[in-house]
Amino acid sequence: MRSIWNGAISFGLVSIPIKLVNATESHSISFRQVHLDDGGRIRYRKFCEAEDREVTTGEIGKAYEDADGTLIPITDEDLAQLPIPTARTIEIVAFVPADRIDPLQMDTAYYLSANGVPAAKPYTLLREALKRSQKVAIAKFALRGRERLGMLRVVDDVIAMHGLLWPDEIRAPQDVAPDTSVTVRDKELDLADALMDTLGEVDLADLHDDYREALEELIAAKASGVEAPAAATGEKPGGKVLDLMAALEKSVRAAKESRGEGEETGEAAEVTRLPARTAARKSARTAPKEVGGKKSTAKKTAAKKTTAKKATTATTAKKPASKTTAQAATKKTAAKKTAATKTAATKTSATKKTSPRKRTSA
């Protein structure tokens, strides 16, 4: 790797010659500006406003623009004469626990390489001292025309340095937090904890830039003259007020299913929108006192079943009585008919006996 800065680490009276190497690199894909009509490159040219002509790089210097727009020229000689003790030195000023450094201060990372054989011993000494103390070194250094703050720590067998922002470069988080008072229930926190436990840990080496890969496929397809791959059309809800509990439950279930831990008979939880304020008030007035209304509903159902059973029993009890009454009425009617028949027979017999007597008298 090519070094971008040569100097030394100042560790008390110990000086360690080092080379500064970039520890990171960008894999983002950059584009050029082109003319839409003919595809020609669009380039920027540097013009002098006073002479209205293009100038070369050698003709360009530095100047500071004052508040009123006045330009104050600053030459390289002016900068070289500034009393910067860290111009070619990474000066260690303190050793502190790593948790004292706010991650917000982290900036560009570099590797520090021992520059030459004589630097190997003091370099190794500093590295092992950092390891054993479990601390990081706070240092000051100058790079690209300005003094910076840095943090030295050990990565494998190499001393790495993170550029740090100065404390006054960190903005205070004012007016960023929600300005409304919100209460989070214990059950919601439990679900959030369950989701965190289910998602677990991840090896950062397994993560990759999906957008960059899709962009590379698009460029390759256009370069070869084939149809570009279709983009994924998955939609994610955004900007909607959702039922937080249902969303957490669904997230936990989805995370478990992705790990093969889901229940075989379980149904996926549905995320529903929160009811409107009016509907919520109505449901609050009409909702049973028991939680969820389950117990009250069960009581009503049981009462209906009991009433239905009583009615059925009463009807069943009446039916035999009706049959008995009908049978009695039938017997009574039959008895009447029998009696009438006997009476008629008696009268007929009496008439027959009386008739001959009358004839004799005549």
Side-chain angles (χ1 to χ4, degrees), residues 151-240:
M151 178 191 75
L152 277 63
R153 68 185 183 96
V154 178
V155 177
D156 295 334
D157 288 331
V158 175
I159 298 176
M161 182 174 68
H162 294 268
L164 298 179
L165 299 174
W166 296 99
D168 59 358
E169 293 179 318
I170 305 297
R171 291 180 175 178
Q174 295 177 352
D175 303 326
V176 178
D179 56 357
T180 57
S181 178
V182 178
T183 301
V184 179
R185 295 179 292 171
D186 290 340
K187 189 173 182 181
E188 293 169 338
L189 282 174
D190 293 341
L191 280 172
D193 290 341
L195 178 58
M196 292 167 63
D197 293 339
T198 304
L199 292 176
E201 298 181 356
V202 66
D203 185 355
L204 295 180
D206 294 336
L207 302 179
H208 56 277
D209 188 347
D210 294 325
Y211 176 80
R212 181 174 60 85
E213 292 180 357
L215 186 56
E216 288 175 347
E217 292 179 3
L218 173 64
I219 294 172
K222 284 185 169 289
S224 56
V226 299
E227 185 178 355
T233 57
E235 294 182 359
K236 294 184 179 181
K240 296 181 180 179

Coordinates of all heavy atoms in Angstrom, one line a residue, residues 151-240:
M151 N -6.6 9.0 17.4 CA -6.6 8.0 18.5 C -5.9 6.8 17.9 O -6.2 6.3 16.8 CB -8.0 7.6 18.8 CG -8.2 6.5 19.8 SD -9.8 5.8 20.0 CE -10.0 4.9 18.4
L152 N -4.9 6.3 18.7 CA -4.1 5.1 18.3 C -4.6 3.9 19.0 O -4.7 3.9 20.3 CB -2.6 5.3 18.6 CG -1.8 6.1 17.5 CD1 -2.3 7.5 17.4 CD2 -0.3 6.1 17.9
R153 N -4.8 2.8 18.3 CA -5.2 1.5 18.9 C -4.5 0.4 18.2 O -4.0 0.6 17.0 CB -6.7 1.4 19.0 CG -7.4 1.2 17.7 CD -8.9 1.2 17.8 NE -9.5 0.9 16.5 CZ -9.9 -0.3 16.1 NH1 -9.7 -1.3 16.9 NH2 -10.5 -0.4 14.9
V154 N -4.6 -0.8 18.7 CA -4.0 -2.0 18.1 C -5.1 -2.7 17.3 O -6.1 -3.1 17.8 CB -3.3 -2.9 19.1 CG1 -2.7 -4.1 18.4 CG2 -2.2 -2.1 19.9
V155 N -4.8 -3.1 16.0 CA -5.6 -3.9 15.2 C -4.7 -5.1 14.7 O -3.8 -4.9 13.9 CB -6.2 -3.1 14.0 CG1 -7.0 -4.1 13.1 CG2 -7.0 -2.0 14.5
D156 N -5.0 -6.3 15.3 CA -4.1 -7.4 15.0 C -2.7 -7.1 15.5 O -2.5 -6.8 16.7 CB -4.2 -7.8 13.5 CG -5.5 -8.3 13.1 OD1 -6.3 -8.8 14.0 OD2 -5.9 -8.2 11.9
D157 N -1.7 -7.0 14.6 CA -0.4 -6.7 15.0 C 0.1 -5.4 14.5 O 1.3 -5.1 14.3 CB 0.6 -7.8 14.5 CG 0.5 -9.1 15.3 OD1 0.1 -9.0 16.5 OD2 0.7 -10.2 14.7
V158 N -0.9 -4.5 14.2 CA -0.6 -3.2 13.6 C -1.2 -2.1 14.5 O -2.3 -2.3 15.1 CB -1.2 -3.1 12.1 CG1 -1.0 -1.7 11.5 CG2 -0.6 -4.2 11.2
I159 N -0.5 -1.0 14.5 CA -1.1 0.2 15.2 C -1.9 1.0 14.2 O -1.4 1.4 13.1 CB 0.1 1.1 15.8 CG1 0.9 0.3 16.8 CG2 -0.5 2.3 16.4 CD1 2.1 1.1 17.4
A160 N -3.1 1.2 14.5 CA -4.0 1.9 13.6 C -4.3 3.3 14.3 O -4.3 3.4 15.5 CB -5.3 1.2 13.4
M161 N -4.6 4.3 13.5 CA -4.9 5.6 14.0 C -6.2 6.1 13.3 O -6.4 6.0 12.1 CB -3.8 6.6 13.7 CG -4.1 8.0 14.2 SD -2.7 9.2 14.0 CE -2.7 9.4 12.2
H162 N -7.1 6.5 14.2 CA -8.4 7.1 13.7 C -8.3 8.6 13.9 O -8.0 9.1 15.0 CB -9.6 6.5 14.6 CG -9.8 5.1 14.4 ND1 -10.7 4.6 13.5 CD2 -9.3 4.0 15.1 CE1 -10.7 3.3 13.6 NE2 -9.9 2.9 14.5
G163 N -8.6 9.3 12.8 CA -8.7 10.7 12.9 C -9.9 11.0 13.8 O -11.0 10.4 13.6
L164 N -9.8 12.0 14.7 CA -10.9 12.4 15.5 C -11.3 13.8 15.2 O -10.5 14.7 15.0 CB -10.6 12.3 17.0 CG -10.2 10.9 17.5 CD1 -9.8 10.9 19.0 CD2 -11.3 9.9 17.3
L165 N -12.6 14.1 15.3 CA -13.1 15.5 15.2 C -12.8 16.1 16.6 O -12.8 15.5 17.6 CB -14.6 15.5 14.9 CG -15.0 14.8 13.6 CD1 -16.6 14.8 13.5 CD2 -14.5 15.6 12.4
W166 N -12.5 17.4 16.5 CA -12.3 18.2 17.7 C -13.7 18.3 18.5 O -14.7 18.3 17.8 CB -11.8 19.6 17.4 CG -10.4 19.6 16.8 CD1 -10.2 19.7 15.4 CD2 -9.2 19.4 17.4 NE1 -8.8 19.7 15.2 CE2 -8.2 19.5 16.5 CE3 -8.8 19.3 18.8 CZ2 -6.8 19.4 16.8 CZ3 -7.5 19.2 19.1 CH2 -6.5 19.2 18.1
P167 N -13.6 18.3 19.8 CA -14.9 18.3 20.5 C -15.9 19.4 20.1 O -17.1 19.2 20.1 CB -14.4 18.5 22.0 CG -13.0 17.9 22.0 CD -12.4 18.2 20.7
D168 N -15.3 20.6 19.7 CA -16.2 21.7 19.3 C -16.8 21.5 17.9 O -17.6 22.3 17.5 CB -15.5 23.0 19.4 CG -14.3 23.1 18.5 OD1 -14.0 22.1 17.9 OD2 -13.7 24.2 18.5
E169 N -16.4 20.4 17.2 CA -17.0 20.1 15.9 C -18.2 19.1 16.0 O -18.8 18.8 15.0 CB -15.9 19.5 15.0 CG -14.8 20.4 14.7 CD -13.7 19.8 13.8 OE1 -13.3 18.6 14.1 OE2 -13.2 20.5 12.8
I170 N -18.5 18.7 17.2 CA -19.6 17.8 17.4 C -20.8 18.6 17.8 O -20.8 19.4 18.8 CB -19.3 16.7 18.5 CG1 -18.1 16.0 18.2 CG2 -20.5 15.8 18.7 CD1 -18.2 15.1 17.0
R171 N -21.9 18.5 17.1 CA -23.1 19.3 17.4 C -23.8 18.7 18.6 O -23.9 17.5 18.7 CB -24.0 19.3 16.2 CG -23.5 20.1 15.0 CD -24.5 20.1 13.9 NE -24.1 21.0 12.7 CZ -24.8 21.1 11.6 NH1 -25.9 20.4 11.5 NH2 -24.4 21.9 10.6
A172 N -24.4 19.6 19.3 CA -25.3 19.1 20.4 C -26.6 18.6 19.9 O -27.2 19.3 18.9 CB -25.5 20.2 21.4
P173 N -27.1 17.5 20.4 CA -28.4 16.9 19.8 C -29.6 17.7 20.3 O -30.6 17.1 20.9 CB -28.3 15.5 20.3 CG -27.6 15.6 21.6 CD -26.6 16.7 21.5
Q174 N -29.7 19.0 20.1 CA -30.8 19.7 20.5 C -32.0 19.6 19.5 O -31.7 19.6 18.3 CB -30.5 21.2 20.7 CG -29.5 21.4 21.8 CD -29.0 22.9 21.9 OE1 -29.4 23.7 21.1 NE2 -28.3 23.2 23.0
D175 N -33.2 19.6 20.0 CA -34.4 19.5 19.1 C -34.4 18.3 18.2 O -35.0 18.4 17.1 CB -34.5 20.8 18.3 CG -34.6 22.1 19.2 OD1 -35.1 21.9 20.3 OD2 -34.1 23.1 18.8
V176 N -33.7 17.3 18.6 CA -33.7 16.1 17.7 C -34.6 15.0 18.3 O -35.3 14.3 17.5 CB -32.2 15.5 17.6 CG1 -32.2 14.3 16.7 CG2 -31.4 16.6 16.9
A177 N -34.6 14.9 19.6 CA -35.4 13.8 20.2 C -36.9 14.2 20.1 O -37.2 15.4 19.8 CB -35.1 13.7 21.7
P178 N -37.8 13.2 20.2 CA -39.3 13.5 20.1 C -39.7 14.6 21.1 O -39.2 14.5 22.3 CB -39.9 12.2 20.4 CG -38.9 11.2 20.0 CD -37.6 11.8 20.4
D179 N -40.5 15.5 20.7 CA -40.9 16.6 21.6 C -42.2 16.3 22.3 O -42.8 17.2 22.9 CB -41.0 17.9 20.8 CG -42.0 17.8 19.6 OD1 -42.5 16.7 19.4 OD2 -42.2 18.8 18.9
T180 N -42.6 15.1 22.2 CA -43.9 14.7 22.9 C -43.5 13.7 24.0 O -42.5 12.9 23.9 CB -44.9 14.1 22.0 OG1 -44.3 13.0 21.3 CG2 -45.3 15.1 20.9
S181 N -44.3 13.6 25.0 CA -44.1 12.7 26.1 C -44.7 11.4 25.7 O -45.9 11.3 25.5 CB -44.8 13.2 27.4 OG -44.6 12.3 28.4
V182 N -43.9 10.3 25.7 CA -44.4 9.0 25.3 C -44.1 8.0 26.4 O -43.0 8.0 26.9 CB -43.7 8.5 23.9 CG1 -44.2 7.1 23.6 CG2 -44.0 9.5 22.8
T183 N -45.0 7.1 26.7 CA -44.8 6.1 27.7 C -44.7 4.7 27.0 O -45.6 4.4 26.2 CB -46.0 6.0 28.7 OG1 -46.1 7.3 29.3 CG2 -45.8 5.0 29.7
V184 N -43.7 4.0 27.3 CA -43.4 2.7 26.7 C -43.8 1.7 27.8 O -43.2 1.7 28.9 CB -42.0 2.5 26.2 CG1 -41.7 1.1 25.7 CG2 -41.6 3.6 25.2
R185 N -44.7 0.7 27.4 CA -45.1 -0.3 28.4 C -44.0 -1.4 28.5 O -43.2 -1.6 27.6 CB -46.4 -0.9 27.9 CG -47.6 0.1 28.0 CD -48.9 -0.6 27.5 NE -48.8 -0.9 26.1 CZ -49.7 -1.6 25.4 NH1 -50.7 -2.1 26.1 NH2 -49.5 -1.9 24.2
D186 N -44.1 -2.1 29.6 CA -43.1 -3.2 29.8 C -43.3 -4.3 28.8 O -42.3 -4.9 28.4 CB -43.3 -3.8 31.2 CG -42.8 -2.8 32.3 OD1 -42.0 -1.9 32.0 OD2 -43.3 -2.9 33.5
K187 N -44.5 -4.6 28.4 CA -44.8 -5.6 27.4 C -44.1 -5.3 26.1 O -43.6 -6.1 25.4 CB -46.3 -5.8 27.2 CG -46.6 -7.1 26.4 CD -48.1 -7.4 26.4 CE -48.4 -8.6 25.6 NZ -49.8 -9.0 25.5
E188 N -44.2 -4.0 25.7 CA -43.5 -3.5 24.5 C -42.0 -3.7 24.6 O -41.4 -4.1 23.6 CB -43.9 -2.1 24.2 CG -45.4 -1.9 23.8 CD -45.8 -0.5 23.8 OE1 -45.2 0.4 24.4 OE2 -46.9 -0.2 23.2
L189 N -41.5 -3.3 25.7 CA -40.0 -3.5 25.9 C -39.6 -5.0 25.9 O -38.6 -5.3 25.3 CB -39.6 -2.9 27.2 CG -39.5 -1.4 27.3 CD1 -39.2 -0.9 28.7 CD2 -38.4 -0.9 26.4
D190 N -40.5 -5.8 26.4 CA -40.2 -7.3 26.4 C -40.2 -7.8 25.0 O -39.3 -8.6 24.6 CB -41.3 -8.0 27.2 CG -41.2 -7.8 28.7 OD1 -40.1 -7.3 29.1 OD2 -42.2 -8.0 29.4
L191 N -41.1 -7.3 24.1 CA -41.1 -7.7 22.7 C -39.9 -7.2 22.0 O -39.4 -7.9 21.1 CB -42.4 -7.3 22.1 CG -43.7 -8.1 22.3 CD1 -44.9 -7.4 21.7 CD2 -43.5 -9.5 21.7
A192 N -39.5 -6.0 22.3 CA -38.3 -5.4 21.7 C -37.1 -6.2 22.1 O -36.2 -6.5 21.2 CB -38.2 -3.9 22.0
D193 N -37.0 -6.6 23.3 CA -35.9 -7.4 23.8 C -35.9 -8.8 23.1 O -34.9 -9.3 22.7 CB -36.0 -7.6 25.3 CG -35.6 -6.4 26.1 OD1 -35.0 -5.5 25.4 OD2 -36.0 -6.3 27.2
A194 N -37.1 -9.4 22.9 CA -37.2 -10.7 22.2 C -36.8 -10.5 20.8 O -36.1 -11.4 20.3 CB -38.7 -11.2 22.3
L195 N -37.1 -9.4 20.1 CA -36.7 -9.2 18.8 C -35.2 -9.1 18.7 O -34.6 -9.7 17.8 CB -37.4 -8.0 18.2 CG -37.0 -7.6 16.8 CD1 -37.4 -8.7 15.8 CD2 -37.8 -6.3 16.3
M196 N -34.6 -8.4 19.6 CA -33.2 -8.2 19.6 C -32.5 -9.6 19.8 O -31.5 -9.9 19.2 CB -32.7 -7.2 20.7 CG -33.2 -5.8 20.5 SD -33.0 -4.7 21.9 CE -31.3 -4.8 22.2
D197 N -33.0 -10.4 20.8 CA -32.4 -11.7 21.0 C -32.6 -12.6 19.8 O -31.7 -13.4 19.5 CB -33.1 -12.3 22.2 CG -32.7 -11.6 23.5 OD1 -31.7 -10.8 23.5 OD2 -33.5 -11.7 24.5
T198 N -33.7 -12.5 19.1 CA -34.0 -13.4 18.0 C -33.1 -13.0 16.8 O -32.5 -13.9 16.1 CB -35.4 -13.3 17.5 OG1 -36.3 -13.6 18.6 CG2 -35.7 -14.2 16.4
L199 N -32.9 -11.7 16.6 CA -32.0 -11.3 15.5 C -30.5 -11.7 15.8 O -29.8 -12.0 14.9 CB -32.1 -9.8 15.3 CG -33.4 -9.3 14.7 CD1 -33.4 -7.8 14.6 CD2 -33.7 -9.9 13.3
G200 N -30.2 -11.6 17.1 CA -28.9 -12.1 17.5 C -27.7 -11.2 16.9 O -27.9 -10.0 16.7
E201 N -26.6 -11.9 16.7 CA -25.4 -11.2 16.3 C -25.2 -11.5 14.8 O -25.9 -12.3 14.2 CB -24.2 -11.6 17.1 CG -24.3 -11.2 18.6 CD -23.1 -11.7 19.3 OE1 -22.2 -12.3 18.7 OE2 -23.0 -11.4 20.5
V202 N -24.3 -10.7 14.2 CA -24.0 -10.9 12.8 C -22.5 -10.7 12.6 O -21.8 -9.9 13.3 CB -24.8 -9.9 11.9 CG1 -24.4 -8.5 12.2 CG2 -24.6 -10.3 10.4
D203 N -21.9 -11.5 11.7 CA -20.5 -11.3 11.2 C -20.5 -10.2 10.2 O -21.1 -10.3 9.1 CB -20.0 -12.6 10.7 CG -18.5 -12.4 10.4 OD1 -17.9 -11.3 10.5 OD2 -17.9 -13.4 9.9
L204 N -19.9 -9.0 10.6 CA -19.9 -7.9 9.6 C -19.3 -8.2 8.3 O -19.6 -7.6 7.3 CB -19.2 -6.7 10.3 CG -19.8 -6.1 11.5 CD1 -19.0 -5.0 12.1 CD2 -21.3 -5.7 11.3
A205 N -18.5 -9.2 8.3 CA -17.8 -9.6 7.0 C -18.9 -10.2 6.0 O -18.6 -10.2 4.8 CB -16.7 -10.6 7.2
D206 N -20.0 -10.7 6.5 CA -21.1 -11.2 5.7 C -22.0 -10.2 5.1 O -22.8 -10.5 4.2 CB -21.9 -12.2 6.5 CG -21.1 -13.4 7.0 OD1 -20.1 -13.7 6.3 OD2 -21.5 -14.0 8.0
L207 N -21.9 -8.9 5.5 CA -22.7 -7.9 5.0 C -22.1 -7.3 3.7 O -20.9 -7.2 3.6 CB -22.9 -6.8 6.0 CG -23.5 -7.2 7.4 CD1 -23.6 -6.0 8.3 CD2 -24.9 -7.8 7.2
H208 N -22.9 -6.9 2.8 CA -22.4 -6.4 1.5 C -23.4 -5.3 1.0 O -24.5 -5.2 1.5 CB -22.2 -7.5 0.5 CG -23.4 -8.3 0.2 ND1 -23.8 -9.3 1.0 CD2 -24.4 -8.2 -0.8 CE1 -24.9 -9.9 0.6 NE2 -25.3 -9.2 -0.5
D209 N -22.9 -4.6 0.0 CA -23.7 -3.5 -0.5 C -24.6 -4.0 -1.7 O -24.1 -4.2 -2.8 CB -22.7 -2.4 -1.0 CG -23.4 -1.1 -1.5 OD1 -24.6 -1.1 -1.6 OD2 -22.7 -0.1 -1.7
D210 N -25.8 -4.2 -1.4 CA -26.8 -4.7 -2.4 C -27.0 -3.7 -3.5 O -27.1 -4.1 -4.7 CB -28.1 -5.0 -1.7 CG -28.0 -6.2 -0.8 OD1 -27.2 -7.1 -1.0 OD2 -28.7 -6.2 0.3
Y211 N -27.0 -2.4 -3.2 CA -27.2 -1.4 -4.2 C -26.1 -1.4 -5.2 O -26.3 -1.3 -6.4 CB -27.4 0.0 -3.5 CG -27.5 1.1 -4.5 CD1 -28.7 1.3 -5.2 CD2 -26.4 1.9 -4.9 CE1 -28.8 2.4 -6.1 CE2 -26.5 2.9 -5.8 CZ -27.7 3.2 -6.4 OH -27.8 4.2 -7.3
R212 N -24.8 -1.4 -4.7 CA -23.7 -1.4 -5.6 C -23.7 -2.6 -6.5 O -23.4 -2.5 -7.7 CB -22.4 -1.4 -4.8 CG -21.1 -1.3 -5.6 CD -19.9 -1.1 -4.8 NE -19.7 -2.2 -3.8 CZ -19.1 -3.3 -4.1 NH1 -18.6 -3.5 -5.3 NH2 -18.9 -4.2 -3.2
E213 N -24.0 -3.8 -6.0 CA -24.1 -5.0 -6.8 C -25.1 -4.9 -7.9 O -24.9 -5.3 -9.0 CB -24.3 -6.2 -5.9 CG -23.2 -6.6 -5.0 CD -23.5 -7.8 -4.1 OE1 -24.6 -8.3 -4.3 OE2 -22.6 -8.2 -3.4
A214 N -26.3 -4.4 -7.5 CA -27.3 -4.2 -8.5 C -26.9 -3.2 -9.6 O -27.2 -3.3 -10.8 CB -28.6 -3.7 -7.9
L215 N -26.2 -2.1 -9.2 CA -25.7 -1.1 -10.1 C -24.7 -1.7 -11.0 O -24.7 -1.4 -12.2 CB -25.2 0.1 -9.3 CG -24.7 1.3 -10.2 CD1 -25.9 1.8 -11.0 CD2 -24.2 2.4 -9.2
E216 N -23.8 -2.6 -10.5 CA -22.8 -3.2 -11.4 C -23.5 -4.1 -12.4 O -23.0 -4.2 -13.6 CB -21.8 -4.0 -10.5 CG -20.9 -3.1 -9.7 CD -20.0 -3.9 -8.8 OE1 -20.3 -5.1 -8.5 OE2 -19.0 -3.4 -8.2
E217 N -24.5 -4.8 -12.0 CA -25.2 -5.7 -13.0 C -25.9 -4.8 -14.1 O -25.9 -5.2 -15.2 CB -26.3 -6.5 -12.2 CG -25.7 -7.6 -11.3 CD -26.8 -8.3 -10.5 OE1 -28.0 -8.1 -10.8 OE2 -26.5 -9.2 -9.7
L218 N -26.5 -3.7 -13.7 CA -27.1 -2.8 -14.6 C -26.1 -2.3 -15.6 O -26.3 -2.3 -16.9 CB -27.7 -1.6 -13.9 CG -28.3 -0.5 -14.8 CD1 -29.4 -1.0 -15.6 CD2 -28.7 0.7 -13.9
I219 N -24.9 -1.9 -15.2 CA -23.8 -1.3 -16.1 C -23.3 -2.4 -17.0 O -23.2 -2.2 -18.2 CB -22.7 -0.8 -15.2 CG1 -23.2 0.5 -14.5 CG2 -21.5 -0.4 -16.1 CD1 -22.2 1.0 -13.5
A220 N -23.1 -3.7 -16.4 CA -22.7 -4.8 -17.3 C -23.7 -5.1 -18.4 O -23.3 -5.4 -19.5 CB -22.4 -6.0 -16.4
A221 N -25.0 -5.1 -18.0 CA -26.0 -5.4 -19.0 C -26.1 -4.4 -20.1 O -26.2 -4.7 -21.3 CB -27.4 -5.5 -18.3
K222 N -26.0 -3.1 -19.7 CA -26.0 -2.1 -20.8 C -24.7 -2.1 -21.6 O -24.8 -1.8 -22.8 CB -26.1 -0.7 -20.1 CG -27.5 -0.4 -19.6 CD -27.6 1.1 -19.1 CE -29.0 1.5 -18.8 NZ -29.8 1.7 -20.1
A223 N -23.6 -2.4 -21.0 CA -22.4 -2.5 -21.8 C -22.4 -3.7 -22.8 O -21.8 -3.5 -23.9 CB -21.2 -2.7 -20.9
S224 N -23.1 -4.8 -22.5 CA -23.1 -5.9 -23.4 C -24.4 -5.9 -24.3 O -24.6 -6.8 -25.1 CB -23.1 -7.2 -22.6 OG -24.2 -7.2 -21.6
G225 N -25.2 -4.8 -24.1 CA -26.3 -4.7 -25.0 C -27.5 -5.6 -24.7 O -28.4 -5.8 -25.6
V226 N -27.6 -6.1 -23.5 CA -28.7 -7.0 -23.1 C -29.7 -6.2 -22.3 O -29.3 -5.1 -21.8 CB -28.2 -8.3 -22.4 CG1 -27.3 -9.1 -23.3 CG2 -27.5 -7.9 -21.1
E227 N -30.8 -6.8 -22.0 CA -31.8 -6.1 -21.2 C -31.4 -6.1 -19.8 O -30.9 -7.1 -19.2 CB -33.2 -6.9 -21.3 CG -34.3 -6.2 -20.6 CD -35.6 -6.9 -20.8 OE1 -35.6 -7.9 -21.6 OE2 -36.6 -6.5 -20.2
A228 N -31.6 -5.0 -19.2 CA -31.2 -4.8 -17.8 C -32.1 -5.7 -16.9 O -33.3 -5.9 -17.2 CB -31.3 -3.3 -17.4
P229 N -31.5 -6.2 -15.8 CA -32.3 -7.1 -14.9 C -33.4 -6.2 -14.2 O -33.3 -5.1 -13.9 CB -31.3 -7.5 -13.9 CG -30.2 -6.5 -13.9 CD -30.1 -6.1 -15.3
A230 N -34.6 -6.9 -14.0 CA -35.7 -6.2 -13.4 C -35.4 -5.9 -11.9 O -34.8 -6.7 -11.2 CB -36.9 -7.1 -13.5
A231 N -35.8 -4.8 -11.5 CA -35.6 -4.4 -10.1 C -36.6 -5.0 -9.2 O -37.7 -5.3 -9.6 CB -35.7 -2.8 -10.0
A232 N -36.2 -5.3 -8.0 CA -37.2 -5.8 -7.0 C -38.3 -4.8 -6.7 O -38.0 -3.6 -6.6 CB -36.4 -6.2 -5.7
T233 N -39.5 -5.4 -6.6 CA -40.6 -4.5 -6.4 C -41.2 -4.6 -5.0 O -42.4 -4.3 -4.7 CB -41.7 -4.8 -7.4 OG1 -42.1 -6.2 -7.3 CG2 -41.2 -4.6 -8.8
G234 N -40.5 -5.1 -4.0 CA -41.0 -5.3 -2.7 C -41.3 -4.0 -2.1 O -40.5 -3.0 -2.2
E235 N -42.5 -3.9 -1.5 CA -42.9 -2.6 -0.8 C -42.8 -2.8 0.7 O -43.2 -3.8 1.2 CB -44.3 -2.2 -1.3 CG -44.4 -1.9 -2.8 CD -45.8 -1.5 -3.1 OE1 -46.7 -1.5 -2.2 OE2 -46.1 -1.2 -4.3
K236 N -42.3 -1.8 1.3 CA -42.3 -1.7 2.8 C -43.1 -0.6 3.3 O -43.1 0.5 2.7 CB -40.8 -1.6 3.3 CG -39.9 -2.8 2.9 CD -38.5 -2.6 3.5 CE -37.7 -3.8 3.2 NZ -36.3 -3.6 3.8
P237 N -43.9 -0.8 4.3 CA -44.7 0.2 4.8 C -43.9 1.4 5.4 O -42.9 1.1 6.1 CB -45.5 -0.4 5.9 CG -44.7 -1.6 6.4 CD -44.0 -2.1 5.1
G238 N -44.3 2.6 5.0 CA -43.6 3.7 5.5 C -44.5 4.9 5.7 O -45.4 5.1 4.9
G239 N -44.3 5.7 6.7 CA -45.1 6.9 7.0 C -46.5 6.6 7.4 O -47.3 7.5 7.4
K240 N -46.8 5.3 7.9 CA -48.1 5.0 8.4 C -48.0 4.7 9.9 O -47.1 4.2 10.4 CB -48.7 3.8 7.7 CG -48.9 4.0 6.2 CD -49.4 2.7 5.5 CE -49.7 2.9 4.1 NZ -50.2 1.6 3.4

